[in-house]
Amino acid sequence: MLDIKNLHVEIDGKKILNGLTLSVKAGEVAAIMGPNGSGKSTLSYVIAGKEDYTVTEGEILLNGVNILEMEAHERAAAGLFLAFQYPLEIPGVATMTFLKATMNAQRKARGEAELTPGDFMKAVRGAAATLGINPDMLKRPLNVGFSGGEKKRMEILQMTLLDPKFCILDETDSGLDIDALRIVAEGVNALRGQGRGMLVITHYQRLLDHIVPDTVHVMARGQIVKSGGPEIALELEKNGYAEYLSDAA
Amino acid sequence: MPAPVIQMRTPAETALIERFEREKSSLPGAKDARAAAFARFEKAGLPGRRVESYHYTDIRNLMRSVAPEVPVEGELIHSQHVGVEGIPVVTFANGRLQSASGMIGAAKLEQLDAALLAGAAELGTALGAANDAIVDINTAFASKGAFISVPAGEKASLHLAFVDHHDSAFAVHSRVVVSVGAGAEVLLYESHEGPDNLPYQANKVVELLISEGAKVQHIRLNISGNKALALSTLAASLGADAELMSLGFTSGAETSRHQVFITYAGENAKLDLRGTTMIRGRQHADTTLVVDHAVPHGESRELFKTVVDGEAQGVFQGKIIVRPHAQKTDGQMASNALLLSDEAGMSNKPELEIFADDVVCAHGATCGALDENQLFYLMARGLPRADAEALLVEAFLDEALDAVTHEGLREALAERVHVWLSARKVA
Ligand SMILES: Nc1ncnc2c1ncn2[C@@H]1O[C@H](COP(=O)(O)OP(=O)(O)OP(=O)(O)O)[C@@H](O)[C@H]1O
Ligand SMILES: [Mg+2]
């Protein structure tokens, strides 16, 4: 499904990813853990198509297609979804307007007809209710003045509605209270399977208690330095990253 | 004593002077006002860049020659997309009111020349201390347009559809004087359209005399032809407790200048001035306002939004004057510009002239590009760049359009924004 091969990325002349290689199969949930500044968000942005970065080497294949040539919106239409670590506030754009625009844009790119207002409302109301999102929030400008946790729920709402093939969740658990963590995790778990791949970036084992990953990868200094099963997360919880950092030094 | 610097008269200036001499005896009424306005013009000439308030829009240079004013054969009809359901429309063909005098709902409509001759209307009453060369030229020649009056306590809405048309270069002068009685509520919507690819000059003035406690919403849509030099002025005087919201919406004309002169004539009046301008190509759009707080307890809000694409140039000049006795004035002015291309330009010149000590006044001007992080967020959700930009531009302008309370009219303006943005996507 997602194959990242020997990825080298820099920004403003600074190297951030140094030959990162990672594969996530269809239906697989892969977790990435790693110290602050190791390049996790950078990786997620590069996969999603942010233009500030320069890929100097390597490739990213989604179902065998090199997506590095595609613009961000084309990658989205191809089924890629990034739940942002820091969702952007968009003043003046009502959340509903935004949801409708994005859902229809992706449908259009896939050659499907626009949603009828009725179908749209039904989909949004249903998903919002499941995620415990107050419908009044959907009338407000997107993410403006939303609490940290509300923004994260909104990301999962979008993910649910856009029905992507591959999801990247960048620290979706940060900022969530205990109940919200459970609700969001349930939302993610509901999307699990059906051939959907997921890359879950997190710092904490507690998210992985709810979303149990198939594989866990440790990222340090812009590379994957260790891969294995869920036991790795427990190990990190106990010992921290010292081992991986000193290796490099 | 050094000799005064005398500028050579331009052909346009000479033509205007000759025309006035020729026509003055047959111009309808308002003799003194015309003579005074003409004398000022004759002395100062067309305003060029040496005149501070015309620094960015050099009319002397832009108006090389004066095109003739021409009558319209038959009737002109406004285009469908400026019409708004529920707002009764009267049409002005090259400035001349096409309908006979009469009532439109509670509003009484008269031909300008008849009203001036009868002494029912005067010229310049809403101007207060404002002194402006473009208005002077309009005053000197004003003969086409209308005098509209709404009696005290009545409600009226009216669409003044200006349609300009001719097959070679031409000029249009028009003047509309609106008198709003005490406590009346008026929606006044002007639309201005004209032919593309034809140079024409417009000088259109609206005077609004708003009596005590009256409420007026005024919306001006400028979708003039793409080679037009469109000069326009709104002069309004606000009686005690009066409320005025005026929005200027500009996407037309090659060069436009919309001037707003507000005078507070009574206390506790409220003003909400708005502007939305969208220009591209080599368009130039100037919005110039002078808000004169001449009495205490006035409130004013100004919110101007300018979207500039291509090599277009936007200008905003906003001056708030607070006279020595105008204590407790509360004025807040903001001009925000969005530059959609590297060659787009914006000149922002907000000014406060405050002569009273117990006032709250502030102004802010911003100018910048769209936020790349916001754009990426929208694109990552599947919106192509042009659509993502359009969504952000619409949101940017919406804040100013929000003040239009007539739903159909607000939607019509939103549709104009949409059309402008769609053309951008195709280009
Ligand atoms: N625009 C930029 N210019 C220079 N350095 C940058 C830029 N953006 C990111 N970096 C650097 O790249 C490195 C990786 O950042 P990134 O946000 O990917 O880390 P992360 O692993 O997501 O960290 P965290 O766990 O704190 O979220 C950091 O050292 C960061 O300072
Ligand atoms: Mg990060």
Side-chain angles (χ1 to χ4, degrees):
Chain A
M1 172 135 230
L2 187 77
D3 293 290
I4 304 170
K5 295 179 188 164
N6 188 30
L7 190 66
H8 291 258
V9 170
E10 31 177 276
I11 185 162
D12 300 333
K14 182 179 169 187
K15 274 207 99 177
I16 298 175
L17 300 185
N18 298 299
L20 184 141
T21 296
L22 175 70
S23 281
V24 183
K25 291 198 276 297
E28 177 182 336
V29 173
I32 291 189
M33 303 182 82
N36 295 130
S38 55
K40 303 181 298 298
S41 292
T42 301
L43 173 64
S44 71
Y45 284 144
V46 172
I47 299 173
K50 199 166 195 225
E51 284 168 7
D52 313 0
Y53 303 95
T54 314
V55 176
T56 54
E57 220 184 311
E59 54 184 11
I60 305 178
L61 307 175
L62 181 65
N63 292 326
V65 179
N66 188 357
I67 60 170
L68 286 175
E69 303 301 317
M70 296 157 80
E71 285 193 68
H73 71 279
E74 295 168 326
R75 300 185 198 193
L80 205 62
F81 183 91
L82 166 62
F84 282 59
Q85 180 174 4
Y86 303 107
L88 275 288
E89 300 194 357
I90 314 283
V93 178
T95 304
M96 274 298 198
T97 309
F98 162 81
L99 291 175
K100 198 171 186 175
T102 54
M103 287 169 79
N104 281 330
Q106 294 204 14
R107 293 177 72 90
K108 192 174 159 195
R110 292 192 293 257
E112 299 166 20
E114 283 200 356
L115 284 167
T116 66
D119 287 346
F120 169 72
M121 287 306 292
K122 217 169 108 188
V124 174
R125 286 224 183 91
T130 313
L131 290 166
I133 293 170
N134 184 338
D136 282 344
M137 244 168 72
L138 302 173
K139 294 180 196 150
R140 285 165 51 186
L142 181 64
N143 291 331
V144 178
F146 289 15
S147 75
E150 286 168 343
K151 286 180 184 169
K152 295 304 179 72
R153 283 189 212 208
M154 203 51 79
E155 293 292 286
I156 302 306
L157 175 73
Q158 293 169 37
M159 187 166 108
T160 307
L161 292 170
L162 292 170
D163 191 22
K165 297 197 176 87
F166 194 93
C167 311
I168 305 163
L169 291 91
D170 190 358
E171 293 196 31
T172 299
D173 53 332
S174 63
L176 291 178
D177 66 39
I178 294 159
D179 294 332
L181 183 68
R182 186 177 42 76
I183 292 167
V184 163
E186 280 167 10
V188 174
N189 284 331
L191 295 173
R192 236 178 135 152
Q194 304 140 39
R196 196 178 270 117
M198 290 195 189
L199 195 57
V200 179
I201 297 169
T202 184
H203 286 295
Y204 303 107
Q205 168 59 35
R206 59 162 197 214
L207 176 73
L208 304 180
D209 288 340
H210 293 281
I211 307 171
V212 181
D214 300 304
T215 52
V216 176
H217 306 269
V218 181
M219 185 163 171
R221 302 173 322 275
Q223 290 176 327
I224 300 297
V225 291
K226 184 166 185 170
S227 298
E231 72 285 350
I232 290 185
L234 295 167
E235 226 175 272
L236 287 174
E237 189 94 333
K238 216 163 77 202
N239 304 328
Y241 293 109
E243 158 187 2
Y244 306 104
L245 293 175
S246 59
D247 265 0
Chain B
M1 209 166 40
V5 181
I6 297 172
Q7 288 196 70
M8 290 282 287
R9 288 211 193 283
T10 66
E13 288 166 347
T14 307
L16 284 169
I17 290 167
E18 287 173 6
R19 182 179 155 197
F20 189 75
E21 294 304 334
R22 225 169 30 241
E23 294 181 3
K24 66 180 176 193
S25 59
S26 57
L27 288 165
K31 248 195 165 48
D32 295 347
R34 288 181 202 284
F38 179 76
R40 282 192 296 269
F41 165 69
E42 197 178 23
K43 186 158 170 247
L46 287 168
R49 52 191 319 118
R50 289 190 211 166
V51 178
E52 198 193 341
S53 61
Y54 284 86
H55 179 73
Y56 298 102
T57 307
D58 185 341
I59 301 298
R60 193 166 189 266
N61 189 39
L62 285 162
M63 226 170 111
R64 287 300 174 124
S65 59
V66 178
E69 291 194 55
V70 291
V72 170
E73 311 274 339
E75 229 181 274
L76 291 186
I77 300 172
H78 67 81
S79 62
Q80 204 163 4
H81 51 252
V82 306
V84 175
E85 211 179 296
I87 308 181
V89 56
V90 289
T91 307
F92 295 79
N94 289 359
R96 183 169 298 285
L97 175 61
Q98 286 194 136
S99 36
S101 299
M103 303 297 294
I104 305 273
K108 186 177 170 204
L109 224 77
E110 290 172 69
Q111 292 283 352
L112 182 77
D113 49 2
L116 289 173
L117 284 168
E122 287 178 62
L123 298 178
T125 347
L127 274 163
N131 190 345
D132 175 75
I134 291 172
V135 176
D136 280 340
I137 295 171
N138 186 286
T139 303
F141 292 103
S143 66
K144 287 174 291 186
F147 174 56
I148 300 169
S149 51
V150 179
E154 296 285 353
K155 280 189 182 170
S157 49
L158 205 52
H159 173 186
L160 313 179
F162 286 82
V163 186
D164 301 328
H165 181 76
H166 196 55
D167 43 26
S168 59
F170 67 110
V172 177
H173 279 89
S174 71
R175 183 88 158 217
V176 174
V177 180
V178 184
S179 165
V180 180
E185 281 182 36
V186 174
L187 169 65
L188 191 67
Y189 163 44
E190 302 172 50
S191 61
H192 298 263
E193 53 188 326
D196 275 336
N197 304 318
L198 188 79
Y200 67 97
Q201 304 164 346
N203 180 340
K204 295 166 173 171
V205 175
V206 170
E207 288 193 64
L208 258 178
L209 297 148
I210 308 177
S211 304
E212 203 177 306
K215 292 192 170 107
V216 177
Q217 284 230 337
H218 168 253
I219 287 89
R220 182 179 204 281
L221 173 66
N222 172 1
I223 50 168
S224 306
N226 61 9
K227 292 279 172 242
L229 169 63
L231 309 176
S232 59
T233 306
L234 168 71
S237 77
L238 310 183
D241 300 307
E243 289 180 24
L244 169 65
M245 192 294 287
S246 174
L247 168 81
F249 183 112
T250 302
S251 62
E254 180 168 55
T255 301
S256 65
R257 174 170 165 114
H258 183 52
Q259 319 188 107
V260 182
F261 300 115
I262 304 287
T263 308
Y264 286 74
E267 295 189 11
N268 293 310
K270 280 194 177 133
L271 170 70
D272 184 0
L273 279 186
R274 310 251 172 157
T276 50
T277 298
M278 282 156 287
I279 46 175
R280 59 160 68 103
R282 317 200 90 203
Q283 281 179 290
H284 173 105
D286 172 335
T287 299
T288 294
L289 33 125
V290 180
V291 175
D292 190 344
H293 288 270
V295 298
H297 294 284
E299 183 186 298
S300 76
R301 294 286 176 272
E302 290 85 22
L303 177 61
F304 285 80
K305 302 264 183 173
T306 309
V307 178
V308 192
D309 201 359
E311 298 164 52
Q313 298 293 320
V315 177
F316 173 81
Q317 307 186 99
K319 187 189 281 187
I320 299 180
I321 304 170
V322 182
R323 305 274 171 190
H325 298 292
Q327 300 293 4
K328 305 283 179 197
T329 292
D330 173 357
Q332 315 282 335
M333 175 162 65
S335 166
N336 309 125
L338 204 49
L339 304 181
L340 298 181
S341 76
D342 293 340
E343 293 78 30
M346 179 75 196
S347 307
N348 257 320
K349 195 175 141 204
E351 283 176 277
L352 299 176
E353 281 184 9
I354 300 177
F355 303 102
D357 49 19
D358 187 11
V359 302
V360 184
C361 282
H363 66 69
T366 62
C367 185
L370 287 170
D371 183 311
E372 280 299 326
N373 289 322
Q374 290 181 345
L375 282 171
F376 170 63
Y377 186 69
L378 297 174
M379 289 176 72
R381 294 295 177 260
L383 294 178
R385 175 170 277 268
D387 292 311
E389 289 182 352
L391 200 62
L392 294 180
V393 171
E394 277 174 323
F396 173 77
L397 293 172
D398 265 355
E399 195 189 348
L401 294 177
D402 263 359
V404 180
T405 51
H406 189 285
E407 206 166 306
L409 184 47
R410 197 176 54 242
E411 276 167 19
L413 297 176
E415 182 58 23
R416 291 292 95 211
V417 173
H418 192 75
V419 166
W420 190 86
L421 289 167
S422 304
R424 190 170 177 263
K425 284 179 211 171
V426 174

